[in-house]
Amino acid sequence: MSDEFTTTVYYDDDADESVLADRTVAVLGYGSQGHAHAQNLADSGVDVVVGLREGSSSREEARTDGLEVATPVEAAAQADTVSVLVPDTVQPDVYEAIADEMEAGDTLQFAHGFNIHYGQIEPDPEVNVTMVAPKSPGHLVRRTYKRGEGTPGLIAVYQDPSGEAKDQALAYAKAIGCTRAGVIETSFAEETETDLFGEQAVLCGGVTELMKQGYETLVDAGYSPEMAYFECLNEMKLIVDLIYEGGLMEMWDSVSDTAEYGGLTRGKMVVDDDARENMEEVLRQVQDGEFAKEWISENQTNRPSYKQLRQAEQEHDAEVVGERLRDLFAWDEQASE
């Protein structure tokens, strides 16, 4: 355990995998996270069953990977820990189907806190409720585990009637490889709210709008769409990779002095106090549940706004130009090597 951070971080020595020795883990879902969790758990000696609906295209894949497959209800019935790794939007229906199979002392586990935090799932008070959330796509969770390494993750406990919920979460995190890198202790509320805010204000919303606005500014000023795409969208990966590898100073040290001075002096002209106030409004809507209510309602009405916004994004000129330019790169060939 490390005290160098502002929150508690756990490593391999802090987790006891024997806690899971007599437990069966049902992994519901076999997508990005599901396949990685199930395979890593199995390789760590944990008894695993994958829960997938009849007719799921992933059933044969999971069997080919050497895993037992059952329906979600059947899997929950034979499990002591149920890890719910299906999409957020279908989790409430899945939980309703398996709720009667959850007994006192069982553990209901998630990789994201949305449905618990916003009350879409209300577990039996006699059931442990935990979170183990790798901070990485599933394919990296699996790849790093196979290399004897791991990806950082989060753990949280929402309900602990047995008094063993945290130990179980740490054991699970160790079994999928996360404690090799370090697991940060958080809460369902903190994980959910920071995750949604980061996606909306910065990672998925803020960055894409910034890139599109930059593209439109250059094109409207008479520059070629191709140059605008390269400068405002394509090169974003170069900058993000540098930050990912070594933080902001690694990025500043790697770009030219001209780029650094221009960024340091002009960046705040774009992302100014008004942008900060807008971010605070985004955060408020996450914290008070306004966004959650909106998204839940959107799904209940067949996603009309979502579909319209997605269509507009697909038709944006930057996407049209970018599709042509991306053909110039040999990414497909590199990925297959």
Side-chain angles (χ1 to χ4, degrees), residues 33 36-37 85 110-111 132-138 141 151-154 172 176 178:
Q33 290 294 329
H37 288 224
L85 299 177
F110 299 86
V132 177
K135 298 305 292 178
S136 170
V141 175
T151 60
L154 308 174
Y172 185 105
I176 64 172
C178 287

Side-chain angles (χ1 to χ4, degrees), residues 32-38 40-41 83-85 109-113 130-145 150-156 169 172-179 181-184 186 191 195 199 244:
S32 174
Q33 290 294 329
H35 89 278
H37 288 224
N40 290 7
L41 286 165
S83 189
V84 184
L85 299 177
Q109 185 170 278
F110 299 86
H112 180 39
T130 61
M131 181 194 307
V132 177
K135 298 305 292 178
S136 170
H139 70 277
L140 289 180
V141 175
R142 180 60 179 158
R143 186 187 305 166
T144 55
Y145 176 94
T151 60
L154 308 174
I155 64 162
Y172 185 105
K174 183 174 183 178
I176 64 172
C178 287
T179 52
V183 174
I184 297 173
T186 184
E191 185 277 335
D195 184 74
E199 291 169 349
Y244 179 83

